[in-house]
Amino acid sequence: MEQNQAKVIVDGGFKPDVVSLKEGFPAQLIFIRTSDQGCLNHVNSTTLAFSAELPLNQPVTVNLQPLKSGNYDFSCGMEMFFGKVVVE
Ligand SMILES: [Cu+2]
């Protein structure tokens, strides 16, 4: 099966801050924090039900169950920086 994943570089913000995933298949978000800037050593999402530490320069894969179409938010631990997952 085709991979259903999106990569986000964490470098003083989430880059890109909008990513897309396909509806109805297991999915992965891969975060790579490449900078010590800001307060981005933690990412979480209430709507996607995950929470992860982001060690510097180590890709972190978040596995997601098949998703329904819609928009989902994620943010840094202090909810200062935000990103969005568009599932369709
Ligand atoms: Cu923050």
Side-chain angles (χ1 to χ4, degrees), residues 36-55:
D36 243 348
Q37 244 189 304
C39 50
L40 289 147
N41 58 344
H42 196 93
V43 61
N44 60 46
S45 169
T46 314
T47 50
L48 291 171
F50 74 80
S51 177
E53 294 298 326
L54 300 177

Side-chain angles (χ1 to χ4, degrees), residues 14 38-42 75-81:
F14 296 111
C39 50
L40 289 147
N41 58 344
H42 196 93
S75 71
C76 72
M78 303 189 318
E79 301 193 335
M80 293 165 61
F81 295 95

